C-alpha cells in the first residue's frame, strides 16, 4: 500500500513511457496528432537510412565515455591531493562544490562568454601569439566538441572529487602505515594499495557519471545547438529536436528506443565489473 | 668518561642508564628537521591547488565580471571590466521577468521536494520495514535511473496535455516530484541501510499502530537523510532544463533556466545583461551550496559510494 | 635483531605533552611490554619507534645508531596492529610477500620464507584466501607472518589481541611468545591488560601520563613497586591501600587501630596490602585488623570478599569460608612483612 506512490512514479516515468514509446515508434505521429496510423518498421528504417541518428549515438557514446574517464582521473587526482596534502580542506571543498551546483544553463552561458570570439580565451590566445584573428571556438568543427567536453568536465569533476575524497577517507589508515613499514613509498602505495582498494568505489562513481553523461542536454542546448555540422549532436538533443521542433513523434520514439538500448549495452558491462570488484573485497 | 650531560635515572631500581655519551649528547641537541624537500613539496601543493581553484572559479568569476561590463568592455576580451557598469543588473531585471522566473523555479523545486520525499520515504519504509520489494525495488529504480529522461519527455508531455497541466507550476511540481523519486529513494536507502539497528528497534513498538510507529519512531530517524536528499532534489529541480523548456510557455510558469536560456538565444542580446541575469539566477543555489555544504556533501557521498 | 635505546624522548601533539622525557633501554632479543592506562602514551611511544610519529626531541637508537631521521620505510621494523591492517585486496600469500617484493627478493627466497612462516603459524591451507575469508585468529597469524617474513630489526605490537575472544587471546599470548623466543627478535608489545603484561614480558615498563613509572621483570614489579601507581596497576585484583599516620614503625589508622609497619616512616602514609596476602584464619606472626564485611562473591574456586575499614573497601581473595553477613564485624590477618608503605607523595618508602 505504501509502495503505491513509488510504483505510480515508476509507472509514470518508466513503464508507461516505454510502452507509449514503443507504440509511437510503430506509428505515424506528430505532436499535434498522435497515432495517425500504424506504419510498421517505417520509422526505424527511416532512422537508419534517412537521418544521422547513428552518428548522433556515436557522438553521445564517445562523449560519455571520454568525459567520464577524463573526469574520473582528474577528480581522483584532485581528491588525492586534497586528501594527502591539505589538512583542513573544508573551504576548498566548498569552493569546488560550486560548479556542481551551478545550473547547467548558467554553466553554458559562462563558457559561451569565455569562448566567444570577443571572450577572454581568444584574447589570451592572441596575446600568446597563437592566433592572429579571433576565432569562433564554438563554431569551429575542431573545437566545438572538445569545448562541450571541457564545460562538462568543469561542471562534473567536482562530483568525482567529492565522491572519491569520501572513498579515500573510508580507507583504513593502519593498512597504509603497515605498508610504510613494509617499505612501500608513495608511488607503490598509490598503485599497489590505494587504487586497488578504491577500485569498487571508483567503478561505482564511473558508472554513475557515465549514465549521467549519456543524458547531457543543457550544455549542448546553450553552447552549440548540436552544431557545427552535427559535431555536438548528442542523442538527447537530437531526439528533443525531432520531437519538439520537427514534431515527428514516431521517429522520436524510434530514436529514443535505440538510444535506451545503446545506453544499457554500454553501461551494463560496467555494472557487471562493479559487482565483481565488490565481491572481491 | 666525562660528560656534561647526566645519564637519566633508570626507572629500574634507581640505577642510572648507561647510554652511549654521544647518543646522550645528541638527545639534548637533536631537533626535528624540516623534512628535506618539504618546502618543495609545499610549493608544488600550493601551485597545484591554485591551478585547481582558478580553473573551477574561472567561468563563474568571468560571468560575474562580465555582468559589470559595458557593451564596449564586453568585446574587449579582458577579464575584468575597464569601468564597472552596475546598470546591467537593474536592466536585466527590467528586460526579462527574472523575479517571476525565480519565483516559478523556487516554487516548482520546493513543492516537488515534498512530493518526492513523501513518495520516497514511504517506499523506503515499506522496503525496510515491511520487507516489500526488498530486492526488486532497488533494481527497478536503478534501471529507471539508467534510462535517459528524454524517454519520459514525450509521453509526459502528452499526459500533461490531457490533464491540462501543461504550462503550469503545478505540472512542473508533479513532473519534478516524480522524476526525482529514483534518486531520492536511492539516497534514502543508502542512508537508512547505515542505521539498521535503530530501525529494527522500531519494530518493538509494533504493538502500537503502524502509523504511530512510523511517525513517532521511523520518521525522526529519517530526518537527516530527508534533509540531505531534499536539498539535492531541490537543486536538481531548480537546475532542470529539458522538461521545463518543453512544458512551460510563458513567464507565469517558466523557470529560471528556461527564461535565461531563451534570453541568451535572442539575436541582439546584451552580453552584460545576460551575464547579470545568469548571475542573479545562480545566487539562490550558491546560497544553498555554501550554507548547506555539509548536508549536500553528505548526501552526495551516501548515494554515490554505496 | 637489535637493542633499542630510547633517550629523553619528547612528543608534543600541538601543546599536549604526550611523551615526557621518556628513556628506556631494550636489550637485544628482549620481549619488552609497555603497559599502562588508556591514553597514557603507549601507542605514541611505539609508533615513534616505528617512525610513524615524528618525535619532538630526544633520540631513538637501534644498535647505537640514531634512527630519528629515518622514515618508517628505512627502519626495517615490523608492526602488528590492533586491527591487523592486512591488505584486503591481496591473498594471504601476497600479503606475506608484499614487502619482500618491494625489497626485490629472489622468487625462491620469497617462497622459502613464506613457506617457513606458513608452517610455523599453521597458515599453509589459507595461503590463497583473502583476509575477508579468515577468522580473527587467522588474521592475527597472517599479521604475525607478515612481520616475520621480513626478518626485521624488531617486532612492534600494538594491542594485537584485543579483538580476539578471551580463550583465543590466552592461546595467542603463548603462541606469540614462543614464536619470538624461537626467532629471538627484539619485541616491544603494548597492552593495557596487566595480566597479558605479566605473562608475556621479559620486562615490563609501566607507562603513566606520558612517562615511565617503573621498569622491571614481572616479579620485580609485583614484589617491589616504586610507587602507588605501579603497585595498584600490577597485580589482580588490585592492591588495597589503607591510609594511616606513621611514627617510626607504628602506624595509626583513622579508627585508632595500630599496625606495625616494616619500615620507618613519619606523617601521612598509605599502607599497601595485596588481596592475596590477607587471610581469614590467623597464623603465627600474623597481625590482625578489625573491619566490617560489606559483600562477597562466590567465584567457585575462591571467594571474593569486600570488607569495610573506615570507609575504605578492602578486597580479599581467600579460600576460607566465614559465611558471615553484611555489617558483621570480622577480623582479617596478614603478615606485616607483606605490607608496602607509601609516602604522601605516593612514592614507596623502603
Ligand atoms: N594525533 C594526535 N593528536 C593529538 N593528540 C593525540 C594524537 N594521538 C594521540 N594523542 C593523545 O596522546 C595521548 C596518548 O595517546 P596514545 O594513543 O599513545 O595512548 P595509548 O596509551 O595508546 O592509549 P590506548 O590504550 O587507549 O590505546 C592521548 O591522550 C591522546 O589523546
Ligand atoms: Mg593505543
Amino acid at each position: 500500500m505504501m509502495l503505491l506512490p513509488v510504483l505510480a512514479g515508476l509507472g509514470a516515468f518508466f513503464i508507461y513511457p516505454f510502452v507509449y514509446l514503443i507504440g509511437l515508434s510503430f506509428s505515424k505521429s506528430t505532436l499535434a496528432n498522435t497515432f495517425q496510423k500504424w506504419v510498421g518498421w517505417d520509422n526505424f528504417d527511416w532512422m537508419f537510412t534517412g537521418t544521422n541518428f547513428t552518428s548522433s549515438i556515436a557522438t553521445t557514446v564517445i562523449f560519455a565515455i571520454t568525459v567520464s574517464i577524463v573526469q574520473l582521473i582528474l577528480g581522483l587526482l584532485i581528491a588525492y591531493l586534497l586528501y594527502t596534502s591539505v589538512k583542513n580542506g573544508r573551504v576548498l571543498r566548498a569552493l569546488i562544490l560550486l560548479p556542481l551546483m551551478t545550473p547547467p544553463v548558467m554553466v553554458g552561458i559562462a563558457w559561451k562568454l569565455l569562448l566567444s570570439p570577443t571572450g577572454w580565451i581568444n584574447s589570451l590566445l592572441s596575446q600568446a601569439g597563437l592566433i592572429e584573428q579571433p576565432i569562433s571556438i564554438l563554431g569551429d568543427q575542431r573545437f566545438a566538441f572538445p569545448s562541450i567536453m571541457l564545460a562538462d568536465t568543469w561542471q562534473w569533476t567536482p562530483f568525482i572529487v567529492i565522491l572519491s575524497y569520501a572513498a579515500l577517507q573510508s580507507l583504513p589508515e593502519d593498512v597504509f602505515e603497515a605498508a610504510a613499514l613494509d617499505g612501500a613509498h608513495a608511488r607503490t602505495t598509490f598503485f599497489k594499495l590505494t587504487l586497488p582498494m578504491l577500485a569498487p568505489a571508483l567503478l561505482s562513481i564511473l558508472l554513475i557519471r557515465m549514465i549521467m553523461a549519456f543524458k547531457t542536454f543543457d550544455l549542448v542546448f546553450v553552447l552549440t545547438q548540436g552544431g557545427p555540422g552535427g559535431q555536438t549532436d548528442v542523442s538527447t538533443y537530437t531526439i528533443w529536436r525531432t520531437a519538439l521542433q520537427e514534431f515527428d513523434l514516431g521517429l522520436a520514439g524510434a530514436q529514443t528506443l535505440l538510444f535506451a538500448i545503446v545506453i544499457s549495452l554500454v553501461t551494463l558491462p560496467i555494472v557487471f565489473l562493479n559487482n565483481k570488484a565488490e565481491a572481491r573485497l | 668518561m666525562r660528560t656534561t650531560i647526566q645519564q637519566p635515572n633508570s626507572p629500574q631500581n634507581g640505577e642510572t642508564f648507561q647510554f652511549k655519551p654521544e647518543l646522550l649528547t645528541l638527545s639534548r641537541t637533536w631537533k626535528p628537521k624540516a623534512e628535506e624537500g618539504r618546502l618543495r613539496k609545499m610549493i608544488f601543493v600550493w601551485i597545484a591547488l591554485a591551478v585547481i581553484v582558478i580553473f573551477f572559479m574561472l567561468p563563474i568569476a568571468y560571468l560575474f565580471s562580465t555582468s559589470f561590463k559595458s557593451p564596449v568592455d564586453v568585446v574587449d576580451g579582458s577579464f575584468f571590466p575597464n569601468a564597472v557598469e552596475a546598470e546591467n543588473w537593474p536592466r536585466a531585471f527590467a528586460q526579462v521577468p527574472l523575479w517571476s522566473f525565480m519565483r516559478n523555479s523556487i516554487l516548482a523545486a520546493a513543492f516537488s521536494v515534498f512530493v518526492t520525499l513523501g513518495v520516497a520515504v514511504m517506499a523506503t519504509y515499506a522496503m525496510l520495514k515491511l520487507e516489500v520489494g526488498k530486492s526488486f525495488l532497488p533494481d527497478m529504480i536503478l534501471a529507471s535511473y539508467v534510462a535517459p529522461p528524454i524517454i519520459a519527455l514525450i509521453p509526459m508531455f502528452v499526459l500533461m496535455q490531457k490533464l491540462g497541466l501543461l504550462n503550469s507550476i503545478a505540472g512542473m511540481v508533479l513532473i519534478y516530484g516524480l522524476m526525482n523519486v529514483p534518486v531520492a529513494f536511492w539516497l534514502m536507502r543508502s542512508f537508512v541501510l547505515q542505521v539498521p539497528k535503530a530501525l529494527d528497534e522500531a519494530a518493538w513498538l509494533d504493538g502500537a499502530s503502524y502509523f504511530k510507529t512510523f511517525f513517532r519512531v521511523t520518521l525522526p530517524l529519517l530526518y537527516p537523510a530527508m534533509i540531505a536528499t531534499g536539498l539535492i532534489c531541490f537543486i536538481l529541480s531548480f537546475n532542470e532544463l529539458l522538461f521545463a523548456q518543453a512544458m512551460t510557455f510563458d513567464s507565469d510558469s517558466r523557470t529560471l533556466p528556461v527564461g535565461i536560456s531563451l534570453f541568451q538565444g535572442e539575436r541582439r542580446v546584451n552580453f552584460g545583461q545576460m551575464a547579470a541575469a545568469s548571475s542573479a539566477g545562480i545566487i539562490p543555489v550558491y546560497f544553498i551550496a555554501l550554507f548547506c555544504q555539509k548536508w549536500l556533501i553528505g548526501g552526495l557521498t551516501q548515494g554515490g559510494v554505496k | 635483531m637489535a637493542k633499542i635505546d630510547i633517550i629523553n624522548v619528547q612528543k608534543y601533539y600541538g601543546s599536549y605533552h604526550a611523551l615526557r622525557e621518556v628513556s628506556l633501554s631494550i636489550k637485544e632479543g628482549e620481549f619488552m611490554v609497555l603497559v599502562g592506562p588508556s591514553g597514557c602514551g603507549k601507542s605514541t611511544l611505539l609508533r615513534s619507534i616505528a617512525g610513524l610519529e615524528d618525535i619532538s626531541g630526544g633520540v631513538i637508537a637501534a644498535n647505537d645508531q640514531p634512527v630519528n631521521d629515518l622514515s618508517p620505510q628505512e627502519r626495517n621494523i615490523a608492526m602488528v596492529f590492533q586491527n591487523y591492517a592486512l591488505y584486503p585486496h591481496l591473498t594471504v600469500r601476497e600479503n606475506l610477500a608484499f614487502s619482500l617484493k618491494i625489497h626485490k627478493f629472489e622468487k625462491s627466497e620469497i617462497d622459502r620464507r613464506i613457506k617457513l612462516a606458513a608452517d610455523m603459524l599453521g597458515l599453509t591451507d589459507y595461503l590463497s584466501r583473502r583476509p575477508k575469508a579468515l577468522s580473527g585468529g587467522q588474521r592475527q597469524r597472517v599479521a604475525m607472518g607478515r612481520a616475520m617474513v621480513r626478518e626485521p630489526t624488531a617486532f612492534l605490537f600494538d594491542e594485537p589481541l584485543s579483538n580476539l575472544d578471551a580463550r583465543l587471546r590466552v592461546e595467542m599470548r603463548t603462541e606469540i611468545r614462543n614464536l619470538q623466543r624461537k626467532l629471538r627478535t627484539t619485541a616491544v608489545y603494548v597492552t593495557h591488560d596487566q595480566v597479558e603484561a605479566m605473562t608475556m614480558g621479559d620486562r615490563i615498563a609501566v607507562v603513566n601520563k606520558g612517562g615511565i613509572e617503573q621498569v622491571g621483570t614481572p616479579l620485580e614489579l609485583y614484589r617491589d613497586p616504586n610507587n602507588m601507581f605501579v603497585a595498584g596497576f600490577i597485580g589482580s585484583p588490585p592492591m588495597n591501600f589503607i591510609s594511616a599516620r606513621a611514627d617510626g614503625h607504628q602506624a595509626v589508622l583513622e579508627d585508632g587501630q595500630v599496625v606495625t609497619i616494616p619500615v620507618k616512616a613519619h606523617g601521612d602514609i598509605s599502607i599497601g596490602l595485596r588481596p592475596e596476602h590477607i587471610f581469614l584464619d590467623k597464623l603465627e606472626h600474623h597481625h590482625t585488623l578489625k573491619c566490617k564485611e560489606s559483600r562477597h562473591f562466590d567465584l567457585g574456586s575462591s571467594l571474593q570478599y569486600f570488607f569495610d575499614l573506615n570507609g575504605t573497601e578492602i578486597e580479599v581473595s581467600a579460600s576460607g569460608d566465614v559465611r558471615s553477613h553484611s555489617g558483621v564485624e570480622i577480623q582479617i590477618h596478614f603478615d606485616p612483612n607483606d605490607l608496602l608503605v607509601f609516602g604522601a607523595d605516593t612514592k614507596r618508602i623502603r
Side-chain angles (χ1 to χ4, degrees), chain A residues 172-186 188-189 191-194 196-197 278-281, chain C residues 47 50 52 71-73 77-79 81 83-90 95 98-99 102-103 130 132 146 150:
Chain A
E173 220 172 304
D174 55 359
V175 172
F176 290 92
E177 295 178 343
L181 290 173
D182 268 353
H185 288 278
T188 321
T189 309
F191 286 106
K192 290 270 163 69
L193 291 181
T194 316
M197 283 163 76
E278 239 160 53
R280 267 181 52 164
L281 278 189
Chain C
R47 294 165 55 82
L52 296 172
S71 69
Q73 285 90 345
I77 275 177
M79 187 155 164
F81 292 81
N83 297 311
Y84 320 126
L86 300 179
Y87 309 125
H89 58 298
L90 301 180
N95 263 281
F98 189 79
S99 91
I102 287 177
H103 292 106
R130 290 212 165 72
K132 195 183 153 193
R146 189 173 61 179
R150 290 180 39 198

Side-chain angles (χ1 to χ4, degrees), chain C residues 63-289:
Chain C
N63 282 337
D64 291 331
Q65 295 303 310
V67 297
N68 291 29
D69 295 321
L70 296 185
S71 69
Q73 285 90 345
E74 294 161 330
R75 292 194 189 188
N76 192 27
I77 275 177
M79 187 155 164
V80 177
F81 292 81
Q82 183 168 1
N83 297 311
Y84 320 126
L86 300 179
Y87 309 125
H89 58 298
L90 301 180
T91 61
V92 170
R93 177 189 296 281
E94 290 163 335
N95 263 281
L96 297 181
F98 189 79
S99 91
L100 300 178
K101 277 188 187 151
I102 287 177
H103 292 106
K104 306 228 156 49
F105 277 85
E106 297 269 327
K107 174 106 182 39
S108 58
E109 176 64 8
I110 296 181
D111 288 342
R112 188 188 69 78
R113 291 200 189 182
I114 289 179
K115 184 167 183 321
L116 192 74
D119 286 348
M120 248 181 184
L121 293 162
L123 286 171
T124 315
D125 295 341
Y126 309 112
L127 281 176
S128 50
R129 289 209 200 160
R130 290 212 165 72
K132 195 183 153 193
L134 298 177
S135 72
Q138 290 162 344
R139 285 180 211 183
Q140 182 62 64
R141 288 193 176 92
V142 178
M144 287 287 308
R146 189 173 61 179
M148 220 178 103
V149 290
R150 290 180 39 198
E151 302 181 356
T153 322
F155 289 143
L156 307 182
F157 299 86
D158 195 350
E159 308 197 14
L161 305 183
S162 55
N163 284 346
L164 301 179
D165 66 56
R167 256 188 82 130
L168 199 52
R169 203 178 304 162
V170 175
E171 229 169 80
M172 289 301 294
R173 275 181 204 160
T174 328
E175 205 166 310
I176 291 178
R177 208 44 249 267
N178 288 342
L179 197 70
Q180 189 267 347
R181 284 212 178 91
K182 221 177 281 174
L183 302 168
R184 278 193 261 129
T185 308
T186 313
V188 188
Y189 187 104
V190 163
T191 177
H192 58 240
D193 176 349
Q194 59 94 21
V195 177
E196 207 163 288
M198 297 292 279
T199 51
M200 295 181 79
D202 288 330
R203 284 194 299 156
I204 300 174
V206 180
V207 186
N208 185 29
K209 293 183 185 154
I212 294 183
E213 298 277 351
Q214 188 173 0
V215 184
T217 63
L219 266 188
E220 276 169 2
L221 294 187
Y222 177 81
R223 292 208 178 125
D224 202 8
N226 278 346
N227 54 42
M228 281 174 75
F229 181 82
V230 176
F233 198 83
I234 298 292
S236 164
M239 183 181 279
N240 301 300
F241 293 107
I242 307 159
S243 40
R245 275 193 77 80
D247 189 16
H249 281 287
Q250 297 288 312
V252 185
L253 308 193
E254 280 163 29
D255 62 357
Q257 296 191 69
V258 177
V259 183
T260 311
I261 49 176
V263 293
K264 274 192 189 150
H266 294 279
D268 288 335
I269 57 163
S270 291
I271 299 172
L273 185 53
R274 293 198 183 274
E276 57 272 30
H277 292 156
I278 303 178
F279 302 90
L280 299 172
D281 308 315
K282 189 170 160 76
L283 294 177
E284 234 176 304
H285 318 301
H286 273 185
H287 282 210
T288 300
L289 277 177

Side-chain angles (χ1 to χ4, degrees), chain A residues 278, chain B residues 120-121 123-125 127-128 133-139 141-142 181-196 199 222 225 229 302-303 306:
Chain A
E278 239 160 53
Chain B
V121 166
T124 313
Y125 179 73
M127 182 197 71
L128 288 167
K134 204 158 192 171
S135 61
F136 149 83
L137 254 192
D139 288 351
I141 278 171
L142 188 64
V181 165
V183 175
F185 175 78
W186 197 251
L187 284 171
M188 298 282 298
R189 189 181 88 105
S190 44
F191 259 113
V192 166
L193 287 182
Q194 302 249 306
V195 281
L199 274 171
L222 294 181
T229 307
Q302 275 297 335
K306 287 193 188 154

Side-chain angles (χ1 to χ4, degrees), chain C residues 297-342:
Chain C
F297 301 103
D298 196 337
L299 303 177
S301 63
S302 69
L303 280 151
Q304 188 181 21
Y305 292 94
F306 291 90
F307 298 114
D308 180 78
L309 183 65
N310 306 322
T312 312
E313 198 162 64
I314 306 284
E315 186 175 351
V316 177
S317 17
S319 47
D321 185 355
V322 291
R323 294 194 195 286
S324 59
H325 300 283
S326 192
V328 170
E329 189 160 289
I330 210 159
Q331 294 187 329
I332 57 172
H333 315 282
F334 54 88
D335 180 344
N337 290 321
D338 286 336
L339 293 180
L340 300 178
V341 180
F342 302 91

